Coordinates of all heavy atoms in Angstrom, one line a residue:
E91 N 2.9 -156.1 46.9 CA 1.5 -156.1 47.5 C 0.9 -157.5 47.2 O 0.2 -158.1 48.1 CB 0.6 -155.0 47.0 CG 1.1 -153.6 47.5 CD 0.4 -152.5 46.7 OE1 -0.1 -152.7 45.6 OE2 0.4 -151.4 47.3
M92 N 1.0 -158.0 46.0 CA 0.5 -159.3 45.7 C 1.1 -160.4 46.5 O 0.5 -161.3 47.1 CB 0.6 -159.7 44.2 CG -0.4 -158.9 43.3 SD -0.4 -159.5 41.6 CE -1.5 -160.8 41.8
V93 N 2.5 -160.3 46.6 CA 3.2 -161.3 47.4 C 2.8 -161.3 48.9 O 2.7 -162.3 49.5 CB 4.7 -161.1 47.2 CG1 5.5 -162.0 48.1 CG2 5.1 -161.4 45.8
A94 N 2.6 -160.1 49.4 CA 2.2 -159.9 50.8 C 0.9 -160.6 51.1 O 0.7 -161.1 52.2 CB 2.2 -158.5 51.2
L95 N 0.0 -160.6 50.1 CA -1.3 -161.3 50.3 C -1.2 -162.8 50.2 O -2.1 -163.5 50.6 CB -2.3 -160.8 49.3 CG -3.2 -159.6 49.7 CD1 -4.1 -159.2 48.5 CD2 -4.1 -160.0 50.9
A96 N -0.2 -163.3 49.6 CA -0.1 -164.7 49.3 C 0.2 -165.5 50.6 O 1.2 -165.3 51.2 CB 1.0 -165.0 48.3
E97 N -0.7 -166.5 50.8 CA -0.5 -167.3 52.0 C 0.4 -168.5 51.6 O 1.0 -169.1 52.5 CB -1.8 -167.8 52.5 CG -2.7 -166.7 53.1 CD -4.0 -167.1 53.6 OE1 -4.4 -168.3 53.4 OE2 -4.8 -166.2 54.1
Q98 N 0.4 -168.9 50.4 CA 1.1 -170.1 50.0 C 2.2 -169.7 49.0 O 2.0 -169.7 47.8 CB 0.2 -171.2 49.4 CG 0.9 -172.5 49.1 CD 0.0 -173.5 48.5 OE1 -1.2 -173.3 48.3 NE2 0.5 -174.7 48.3
K99 N 3.4 -169.4 49.5 CA 4.6 -169.1 48.7 C 5.4 -170.4 48.6 O 5.5 -171.2 49.6 CB 5.4 -168.0 49.3 CG 4.6 -166.7 49.4 CD 5.4 -165.6 50.1 CE 4.5 -164.5 50.5 NZ 4.3 -164.5 51.9
L100 N 6.0 -170.6 47.5 CA 6.8 -171.8 47.3 C 7.9 -171.6 46.3 O 7.9 -170.7 45.5 CB 6.0 -173.0 46.9 CG 5.1 -172.9 45.6 CD1 5.0 -174.2 45.0 CD2 3.8 -172.3 46.0
A101 N 8.9 -172.5 46.3 CA 9.9 -172.5 45.3 C 9.3 -173.1 44.0 O 8.6 -174.1 44.1 CB 11.1 -173.4 45.7
L102 N 9.5 -172.4 42.9 CA 8.9 -172.9 41.6 C 9.3 -174.3 41.3 O 8.4 -175.0 40.8 CB 9.3 -171.9 40.5 CG 8.7 -172.2 39.1 CD1 7.2 -172.1 39.2 CD2 9.3 -171.3 38.1
Q103 N 10.5 -174.7 41.6 CA 10.9 -176.1 41.3 C 10.1 -177.1 42.0 O 10.1 -178.3 41.6 CB 12.4 -176.2 41.6 CG 12.8 -176.2 43.0 CD 14.3 -176.2 43.2 OE1 15.0 -176.2 42.3 NE2 14.7 -176.3 44.5
D104 N 9.4 -176.8 43.1 CA 8.5 -177.7 43.7 C 7.4 -178.2 42.8 O 6.8 -179.3 42.9 CB 7.8 -177.1 45.0 CG 8.8 -176.9 46.1 OD1 10.0 -177.4 46.0 OD2 8.5 -176.2 47.1
R105 N 7.0 -177.4 41.8 CA 6.0 -177.7 40.9 C 6.5 -177.8 39.4 O 5.8 -178.4 38.6 CB 4.8 -176.7 40.9 CG 4.1 -176.8 42.2 CD 2.7 -176.1 42.2 NE 2.1 -176.1 43.5 CZ 1.1 -175.3 43.9 NH1 0.6 -174.5 42.9 NH2 0.7 -175.3 45.1
V106 N 7.5 -177.1 39.1 CA 8.1 -177.1 37.8 C 9.6 -177.5 37.9 O 10.4 -176.7 38.2 CB 8.0 -175.7 37.1 CG1 8.5 -175.7 35.7 CG2 6.6 -175.2 37.2
P107 N 9.8 -178.8 37.6 CA 11.2 -179.3 37.8 C 12.2 -178.5 36.9 O 11.9 -178.1 35.8 CB 11.1 -180.7 37.3 CG 9.7 -181.1 37.5 CD 8.9 -179.8 37.2
N108 N 13.4 -178.3 37.5 CA 14.5 -177.6 36.8 C 14.3 -176.1 36.5 O 15.0 -175.6 35.7 CB 14.9 -178.4 35.6 CG 15.2 -179.8 35.8 OD1 15.9 -180.1 36.8 ND2 14.7 -180.7 35.0
V109 N 13.3 -175.5 37.1 CA 13.1 -174.1 37.0 C 13.1 -173.4 38.4 O 12.4 -173.8 39.2 CB 11.7 -173.8 36.3 CG1 11.6 -172.3 36.1 CG2 11.6 -174.5 34.9
Q110 N 14.0 -172.5 38.5 CA 14.3 -171.9 39.8 C 13.4 -170.6 39.9 O 13.1 -169.9 38.9 CB 15.7 -171.5 39.9 CG 16.7 -172.6 39.8 CD 16.6 -173.6 40.9 OE1 16.5 -173.2 42.1 NE2 16.6 -174.9 40.6
G111 N 13.1 -170.2 41.1 CA 12.4 -169.0 41.4 C 11.4 -169.1 42.5 O 11.2 -170.2 43.1
E112 N 10.9 -168.0 42.9 CA 9.9 -167.9 44.0 C 8.5 -167.6 43.4 O 8.4 -166.7 42.5 CB 10.3 -166.8 45.0 CG 11.6 -167.1 45.7 CD 12.1 -165.9 46.5 OE1 11.2 -165.4 47.3 OE2 13.2 -165.5 46.4
A113 N 7.5 -168.3 43.9 CA 6.2 -168.2 43.3 C 5.1 -168.2 44.4 O 5.4 -168.5 45.6 CB 6.0 -169.4 42.3
F114 N 3.9 -167.9 44.0 CA 2.8 -168.1 44.9 C 1.6 -168.8 44.2 O 1.5 -168.6 43.0 CB 2.3 -166.8 45.6 CG 2.0 -165.7 44.7 CD1 0.7 -165.5 44.2 CD2 2.9 -164.7 44.3 CE1 0.3 -164.4 43.4 CE2 2.6 -163.7 43.5 CZ 1.3 -163.5 43.0
D115 N 0.9 -169.6 44.9 CA -0.2 -170.4 44.4 C -1.4 -169.5 44.0 O -1.8 -168.6 44.7 CB -0.6 -171.4 45.4 CG -1.8 -172.3 45.0 OD1 -1.5 -173.3 44.3 OD2 -2.9 -172.0 45.3
L116 N -1.9 -169.6 42.8 CA -3.0 -168.8 42.2 C -4.2 -168.9 43.0 O -4.8 -167.9 43.5 CB -3.2 -169.1 40.8 CG -4.2 -168.3 40.0 CD1 -3.9 -168.2 38.5 CD2 -5.6 -168.7 40.2
K117 N -4.7 -170.1 43.2 CA -6.0 -170.3 43.9 C -5.9 -169.9 45.4 O -6.9 -169.2 45.9 CB -6.5 -171.8 43.8 CG -7.1 -172.1 42.5 CD -7.8 -173.4 42.5 CE -8.6 -173.7 41.3 NZ -9.4 -174.9 41.3
S118 N -4.9 -170.2 46.0 CA -4.7 -169.7 47.4 C -4.6 -168.2 47.5 O -5.2 -167.6 48.4 CB -3.4 -170.3 48.0 OG -3.0 -169.8 49.2
W119 N -3.9 -167.6 46.5 CA -3.9 -166.1 46.5 C -5.3 -165.5 46.3 O -5.7 -164.6 47.0 CB -3.0 -165.6 45.4 CG -2.8 -164.1 45.5 CD1 -1.8 -163.5 46.2 CD2 -3.7 -163.1 44.9 NE1 -2.0 -162.1 46.1 CE2 -3.1 -161.9 45.3 CE3 -4.8 -163.1 44.1 CZ2 -3.7 -160.7 44.9 CZ3 -5.4 -161.9 43.7 CH2 -4.8 -160.7 44.1
Y120 N -6.1 -166.1 45.4 CA -7.4 -165.6 45.2 C -8.2 -165.6 46.5 O -8.9 -164.7 46.8 CB -8.1 -166.4 44.1 CG -9.6 -166.1 44.0 CD1 -10.0 -164.9 43.3 CD2 -10.6 -166.9 44.6 CE1 -11.3 -164.5 43.3 CE2 -11.9 -166.5 44.5 CZ -12.3 -165.4 43.9 OH -13.6 -165.0 43.8
R121 N -8.2 -166.8 47.2 CA -9.0 -166.9 48.4 C -8.5 -165.9 49.5 O -9.3 -165.4 50.2 CB -8.9 -168.4 48.9 CG -9.6 -169.3 47.9 CD -9.4 -170.8 48.2 NE -10.0 -171.6 47.2 CZ -9.5 -172.7 46.7 NH1 -8.3 -173.1 47.1 NH2 -10.2 -173.3 45.7
S122 N -7.2 -165.7 49.6 CA -6.7 -164.7 50.6 C -7.1 -163.3 50.2 O -7.6 -162.5 51.1 CB -5.2 -164.8 50.6 OG -4.6 -163.9 51.4
W123 N -7.1 -163.0 48.9 CA -7.5 -161.7 48.5 C -9.0 -161.5 48.8 O -9.4 -160.4 49.3 CB -7.2 -161.5 47.0 CG -7.7 -160.3 46.3 CD1 -7.4 -159.0 46.7 CD2 -8.6 -160.2 45.2 NE1 -8.0 -158.1 45.9 CE2 -8.8 -158.8 45.0 CE3 -9.3 -161.1 44.5 CZ2 -9.6 -158.3 43.9 CZ3 -10.1 -160.6 43.4 CH2 -10.3 -159.3 43.2
K124 N -9.8 -162.5 48.4 CA -11.2 -162.4 48.7 C -11.5 -162.2 50.2 O -12.3 -161.3 50.5 CB -11.9 -163.8 48.2 CG -13.3 -163.9 48.3 CD -13.8 -165.2 47.7 CE -15.2 -165.6 48.1 NZ -15.6 -166.8 47.5
R125 N -10.9 -163.0 51.0 CA -11.1 -162.8 52.5 C -10.7 -161.4 52.9 O -11.4 -160.7 53.7 CB -10.3 -163.8 53.3 CG -11.0 -165.1 53.5 CD -10.3 -166.0 54.5 NE -8.8 -166.1 54.3 CZ -8.3 -167.0 53.5 NH1 -9.0 -167.8 52.7 NH2 -6.9 -167.0 53.3
S126 N -9.6 -160.9 52.4 CA -9.1 -159.6 52.8 C -10.0 -158.4 52.4 O -9.9 -157.3 52.9 CB -7.6 -159.4 52.3 OG -7.6 -159.1 51.0
R127 N -10.8 -158.7 51.4 CA -11.7 -157.6 50.8 C -13.1 -157.9 51.3 O -14.0 -157.3 50.7 CB -11.6 -157.6 49.3 CG -10.2 -157.3 48.8 CD -9.6 -156.0 49.4 NE -8.3 -155.6 48.8 CZ -7.1 -155.9 49.3 NH1 -7.0 -156.6 50.4 NH2 -6.1 -155.4 48.7
N128 N -13.3 -158.8 52.3 CA -14.6 -159.1 52.7 C -15.5 -159.6 51.6 O -16.7 -159.3 51.6 CB -15.3 -157.9 53.5 CG -14.5 -157.6 54.7 OD1 -14.1 -158.4 55.5 ND2 -14.3 -156.3 54.9
G129 N -14.9 -160.4 50.7 CA -15.7 -161.0 49.6 C -16.7 -162.0 50.2 O -16.3 -163.1 50.5
E130 N -17.9 -161.7 50.3 CA -18.9 -162.6 50.8 C -19.5 -163.5 49.8 O -20.2 -164.4 50.1 CB -20.0 -161.7 51.5 CG -19.5 -161.0 52.7 CD -20.5 -160.1 53.4 OE1 -21.7 -160.4 53.2 OE2 -20.2 -159.2 54.1
Y131 N -19.3 -163.2 48.5 CA -19.8 -164.1 47.5 C -19.2 -165.5 47.6 O -18.0 -165.6 47.6 CB -19.5 -163.5 46.1 CG -20.1 -164.2 45.0 CD1 -21.5 -164.0 44.7 CD2 -19.4 -165.0 44.1 CE1 -22.1 -164.6 43.7 CE2 -20.0 -165.7 43.0 CZ -21.4 -165.5 42.8 OH -22.0 -166.1 41.8

Side-chain angles (χ1 to χ4, degrees):
E91 291 167 338
M92 285 189 85
V93 172
L95 263 176
E97 293 176 359
Q98 187 177 2
K99 297 175 199 108
L100 59 150
L102 183 61
Q103 67 186 7
D104 291 349
R105 293 193 187 167
V106 184
N108 304 318
V109 182
Q110 303 292 315
E112 297 172 48
F114 57 89
D115 181 83
L116 185 152
K117 282 190 171 184
S118 171
W119 186 90
Y120 171 78
R121 292 170 184 141
S122 175
W123 175 59
K124 181 177 166 178
R125 275 192 310 276
S126 73
R127 301 310 187 258
N128 296 319
E130 295 180 17
Y131 189 73

